[in-house]
Amino acid sequence: MNTVKIDNRIPKIQNKLFEQAHTHPLELKTVAIAMSKQGIKGEKLYSHPGMLPLPVPICEYLLSFSARQMSILSATFFANLYKYVANSEYQSLISNMSVAEKVFAAYSDEFMILHQETNEEMDHIWSFRTVYSMVCREIGIQSSFDEPGFFYGSVGAIPQSDFESFDTRFTFDEDLNETLLNLQKGKSFLKKIVEQTQQRGRNFTYRTLRFMIGDAMRMLPAEKVQENGLGSLTLLYRYMANVELKKSEAYLFDSPEKFDYEPLAFELNQGHLTDEARHYTTSFDLGVELYRAAPQEAQDFIRYFMQLIVEDYISASFTTYLEKLDLTVQGIMLTDIRIGLNSLSMSLHHPDLADKQVDINQLVHSWRQLSSKWRNIIGYIEQKSWQYKSQQLERLIKELGLELNTSKLGNRYERYKDALAIKEIQKVVEVA
C-alpha cells in the first residue's frame, strides 16, 4: 500500500502527549452523566462572564440578573458552545477515519494515535449531547442537537440565506459528482475545482470543501487522496477548527480564583482541553508534513483553500462585538453572536427567569444605540483570545507561505498584526 512516511519526530511527540493525557482516565462520559443527574447547580457559573457572547458589562438588563439567573444563562451558553464543538467534531470524525485509512499505514505508530482518535471524538460528542439534553430538560424545552459546525462555512461571517440553506445530511448531487470526477482524474484537474468554486460563491466553496475533506476522501482510492493533497488539506483545515476550539476552551474558566465555577463543568472542560492538545499537534505537524510530501499542483491547491479559510477567519474573528451586531442586523451571521443570542433565548424559558422576559430584537437594537465609543472596545478576555489566535495563525501563514489579501481584510488585518505584537494584556482597549 502506498502510504506516506512521516518524520519520526512527530510520533515521538504524539506518544509523549498521549501518555501524559492518559495518566488519568480521560473519558468524559462519567462527568456528563453526573452533570445530567445533578441538573443546573445553584448559583455557580458555567463559564467566565467575559466569555459570554453578550454585552454583559454595558447592558443594564443583563447586569440586573441575579446570581441564579446568571448561572442558568452561563449553563445554556456552556451547552450551546459544546453543541457547536460536538457538531464540528462529528465532521472531524469522518475525516479522521479517511485520513488514517488512506494516508497512513495501519499500526504505524506505537499507540495507533491517529487511528483511534475516532473513538475519543465519539466520547466527546456523546458527553456534550448529554449535557445539552440536561440543560434543555431543566429549562423545559425540546431542541435539536443538530447544527452547522465549523466545517459548514461558519469559519467566518456567512449570509443568513446561506445559513438557512445548510443541510447537515449527506446529499450527492451533480455538482459534487463533478468535483469527485475531477479528483479521480488527479492533480492536473485540481485547477478546475478551484475555478468552479471561484465562479459559484462562498456557500458552494465551503460545501465543496466539506465534501472533499469528508465523503470524497472516503470514496476515493488512497493514491488519489495523496496525489490531490487531501490528507494535508483536511488536517490543516482541522487545525483552524482546533485554534478556535482551544481559544474558547482555554478561557472558558479563566481566573478560577475569582469565580465560583461549577466543579463538574470545570472538570469536563479541563478533560477535553487536555485530550484535544494531542489532536492540535496532529493537525498542524502532520498536516504540514503531508503538505511537504504533496505534488506541486496539490500544494498550490492546499494553499488556495487555506488562504481563503484564514482570510475568512481573520475577517470574522478580529471584529468587535458591536460591529458583529451591525453585521447580524444586515443579515450576516457570526457563530459567537448566534450562540450568545440562542443561549439568552433558551434561558428565558426557565421559570427562574420569568421576570426577565424581553424582546430579543429590541434588546439587540438597544445595544446598537449605545455610545459609539463602545463600538471599537474589546475587553480583557477578547484581547487574550485575539493574541492567541494571531500567534497560531502566524505559524500556519509562515509555514505555507500564504500571502493574504490585506486590502480586502482592511483594518481586520491591522488588528491581527496588532494582536500579534501584544506584550501586555490590559483591562480594556480601543482598536482601530
Side-chain angles (χ1 to χ4, degrees):
M1 185 175 175
N2 182 25
T3 53
V4 177
K5 179 80 171 67
I6 56 176
D7 189 325
N8 288 335
R9 178 184 64 86
I10 299 173
K12 284 180 182 174
I13 295 172
Q14 291 288 70
N15 288 348
K16 191 174 178 181
L17 288 168
F18 182 85
E19 289 171 352
Q20 188 177 323
H22 287 269
T23 301
H24 303 289
L26 262 183
E27 194 176 50
L28 302 180
K29 285 189 182 74
T30 52
V31 181
I33 290 171
M35 288 183 73
S36 179
K37 288 183 176 177
Q38 176 181 269
I40 298 175
K41 184 71 173 177
E43 298 178 351
K44 295 184 181 297
L45 287 173
Y46 288 74
S47 77
H48 187 288
M51 285 297 291
L52 281 170
L54 294 165
V56 178
I58 56 176
C59 173
E60 289 185 11
Y61 165 77
L62 294 171
L63 284 172
S64 71
F65 276 32
S66 67
R68 170 66 177 161
Q69 290 169 333
M70 189 53 75
S71 171
I72 293 166
L73 178 59
S74 66
T76 57
F77 167 62
F78 181 89
N80 275 289
L81 173 66
Y82 277 113
K83 172 182 171 179
Y84 176 69
V85 171
N87 278 277
S88 301
E89 289 198 349
Y90 192 73
Q91 168 76 53
S92 288
L93 185 150
I94 298 168
S95 304
N96 291 349
M97 288 191 289
S98 295
V99 173
E101 178 191 346
K102 301 289 175 68
V103 179
F104 301 112
Y107 316 117
S108 58
D109 64 83
E110 188 176 352
F111 294 119
M112 295 172 61
I113 289 167
L114 192 67
H115 293 77
Q116 74 162 13
E117 280 188 343
T118 303
N119 296 332
E120 292 159 356
E121 303 288 18
M122 282 303 292
D123 172 57
H124 303 165
I125 293 166
W126 187 95
S127 301
F128 298 150
R129 183 175 178 275
T130 299
V131 172
Y132 187 78
S133 298
M134 176 276 285
V135 169
C136 289
R137 185 189 71 224
E138 290 276 304
I139 290 173
I141 63 169
Q142 290 187 335
S143 175
S144 169
F145 194 64
D146 186 28
E147 79 153 51
F150 188 85
F151 302 99
Y152 282 79
S154 56
V155 56
I158 59 173
Q160 175 79 33
S161 55
D162 283 2
F163 181 79
E164 290 170 352
S165 67
F166 281 135
D167 187 345
T168 56
R169 293 171 300 179
F170 173 68
T171 52
F172 188 60
D173 58 17
E174 193 175 326
D175 290 332
L176 295 185
N177 186 46
E178 185 181 346
T179 300
L180 185 65
L181 289 174
N182 283 327
L183 290 170
Q184 284 173 335
K185 291 171 186 169
K187 59 187 180 183
S188 301
F189 289 83
L190 293 176
K191 279 186 178 177
K192 279 200 169 183
I193 297 174
V194 170
E195 290 167 3
Q196 189 186 20
T197 59
Q198 287 171 333
Q199 292 166 2
R200 300 289 296 276
R202 191 180 185 285
N203 188 15
F204 180 82
T205 298
Y206 278 97
R207 182 166 170 266
T208 303
L209 263 170
R210 188 171 76 244
F211 172 68
M212 289 194 297
I213 67 165
D215 292 295
M217 277 207 301
R218 180 172 55 78
M219 292 189 268
L220 286 168
E223 61 270 19
K224 291 300 178 188
V225 171
Q226 293 170 36
E227 182 183 344
N228 293 322
L230 294 185
S232 173
L233 179 62
T234 301
L235 291 175
L236 292 177
Y237 193 3
R238 198 182 93 175
Y239 172 74
M240 292 295 299
N242 287 149
V243 169
E244 178 62 18
L245 169 62
K246 291 283 286 182
K247 177 271 300 178
S248 299
E249 285 204 304
Y251 307 125
L252 197 62
F253 292 96
D254 196 71
S255 307
E257 71 284 359
K258 295 181 181 176
F259 298 97
D260 188 11
Y261 290 131
E262 202 291 305
L264 290 174
F266 183 84
E267 185 179 345
L268 187 139
N269 165 265
Q270 293 298 301
H272 191 249
L273 192 62
T274 304
D275 198 28
E276 285 295 320
R278 292 181 299 108
H279 303 180
Y280 188 75
T281 305
T282 302
S283 54
F284 184 78
D285 287 342
L286 285 181
V288 170
E289 185 83 356
L290 294 179
Y291 170 78
R292 290 173 181 157
Q296 184 61 50
E297 294 89 339
Q299 289 188 359
D300 294 342
F301 184 70
I302 294 164
R303 272 202 310 277
Y304 171 78
F305 282 111
M306 289 312 303
Q307 177 155 334
L308 183 80
I309 293 166
V310 169
E311 287 176 351
D312 278 350
Y313 187 74
I314 288 176
S315 182
S317 295
F318 295 89
T319 304
T320 68
Y321 188 83
L322 291 184
E323 289 173 343
K324 290 178 181 177
L325 277 188
D326 292 341
L327 291 170
T328 302
V329 172
Q330 295 165 23
I332 305 294
M333 298 290 297
L334 289 114
T335 299
D336 51 354
I337 295 292
R338 178 170 59 82
I339 290 177
L341 295 178
N342 280 351
S343 302
L344 177 59
S345 178
M346 280 177 66
S347 300
L348 294 178
H349 288 276
H350 197 288
D352 285 8
L353 275 85
D355 64 331
K356 295 297 179 190
Q357 298 308 302
V358 69
D359 184 314
I360 301 278
N361 290 330
Q362 287 185 8
L363 189 63
V364 169
H365 179 71
S366 71
W367 294 338
R368 295 185 68 223
Q369 301 305 311
L370 289 168
S371 167
S372 59
K373 78 170 186 176
W374 291 107
R375 195 154 298 278
N376 292 351
I377 293 289
I378 62 171
Y380 169 74
I381 291 288
E382 270 183 313
Q383 287 174 64
K384 290 176 75 169
S385 298
W386 284 21
Q387 183 188 40
Y388 174 79
K389 286 185 286 191
S390 62
Q391 289 171 346
Q392 304 315 309
L393 291 183
E394 190 71 0
R395 294 176 69 199
L396 184 64
I397 291 167
K398 282 188 173 177
E399 198 64 55
L400 299 189
L402 301 182
E403 296 179 1
L404 303 183
N405 186 339
T406 55
S407 59
K408 184 180 82 174
L409 290 172
N411 68 343
R412 305 313 192 252
Y413 181 74
E414 297 304 320
R415 291 172 180 178
Y416 158 74
K417 297 299 285 185
D418 288 345
L420 196 60
I422 288 179
K423 300 294 181 190
E424 186 178 350
I425 304 293
Q426 300 176 36
K427 193 170 182 180
V428 293
V429 297
E430 185 172 356
V431 295

